Each structure stands twice: as structure tokens, then as C-alpha cells.
Amino acid sequence: QVQLVESGGGLVQAGGSLRLSCVASGRTFSRYTMGWFRQAPGKDREFVAHIFWSGDGIYYADPVKGRFTVSRDNAKNTVYLQMSSLRHEDTAVYYCGARGSGDYRRPLSYNYWGQGTQVTVSS
């Protein structure tokens, strides 16, 4: 079992930055591939970023490439999402997930989810 808790969301002006954190409980966190997703009102949950347990295997969705950076600290059981040059369209609830198997871009490939943290970007 892995429990995930996101934090760091908030209200920010367009062009600003935020850093999201996702803290995991459980001894096996370091063995999980982790993903960040987001869900805007009325839309499906969409892939944002992915990172292997080793810290490599980093992939991003096209809309966030060059603006977002995913990283992890296995000693702290934490995965981060540094978001810069934020845009109004980045407004969503952001979730971290621990991946089981399957396509890393699909929410169904993730076995565990946090409760989400709201990010609102004012234009």
C-alpha cells in the first residue's frame, strides 16, 4: 500500500511559478514509477509528467515541456513538480500517482492516487 499526499497548490498570476510536492507513505516508494496528472473542470484527467524510480525515464506532456520539471527524492519519499511560466490553461487539480503497469500516459496505469491540490492561474 502507498498513500500519497499532494501540497503546494494555490493561486498564482500568469507567468508565475509554483512547486508541488507529493509525499508518500510506505517503505516501497523508491521502487515506484511516479506520475503527475491534472484535471480541469469538465475534462478528463490528463498526463503531465512521469519519472522512473531511479530518477530517469522523465517524460512530459507537450503543453508543459520546457516549463515544468519533475524530480524526486527517494530519501524523503517525495516527488516534486516545479511549474514555471504558468498559464491560465494550467488551472486544474493536480494529482500524483504511483504507477502499476501499462502506458504511463493513462490514468488507469496508476494504482494509487493522492487527493489532489488545486492550482489556479489568473490571467
Side-chain angles (χ1 to χ4, degrees):
Q1 283 281 350
V2 176
Q3 292 184 330
L4 305 171
V5 179
E6 302 96 334
S7 63
L11 174 63
V12 63
Q13 289 187 335
S17 300
L18 283 174
R19 188 176 81 156
L20 306 184
S21 299
C22 171
V23 180
S25 63
R27 299 176 184 177
T28 59
F29 168 77
S30 62
R31 300 175 64 180
Y32 275 94
T33 290
M34 299 296 294
W36 283 98
F37 285 71
R38 65 187 182 186
Q39 188 166 17
K43 295 188 176 181
D44 292 335
R45 191 170 296 191
E46 65 174 7
F47 169 73
V48 174
H50 167 279
I51 184 168
F52 279 164
W53 66 269
S54 56
D56 56 5
I58 291 176
Y59 310 116
Y60 298 100
D62 286 344
V64 308
K65 282 181 181 177
R67 300 188 299 121
F68 290 11
T69 302
V70 63
S71 62
R72 67 190 294 162
D73 185 339
N74 288 338
K76 295 182 178 180
N77 278 11
T78 303
V79 62
Y80 303 97
L81 185 68
Q82 177 68 48
M83 306 186 295
S84 302
S85 301
L86 283 162
R87 303 168 181 168
H88 178 68
E89 53 265 37
D90 295 318
T91 296
V93 177
Y94 284 71
Y95 299 90
C96 67
R99 181 177 165 210
S101 62
D103 189 333
Y104 66 87
R105 296 163 294 183
R106 297 174 64 87
L108 288 176
S109 300
Y110 293 75
N111 293 339
Y112 303 102
W113 293 98
Q115 83 292 346
T117 185
Q118 176 71 48
V119 172
T120 303
V121 184
S122 62
S123 55

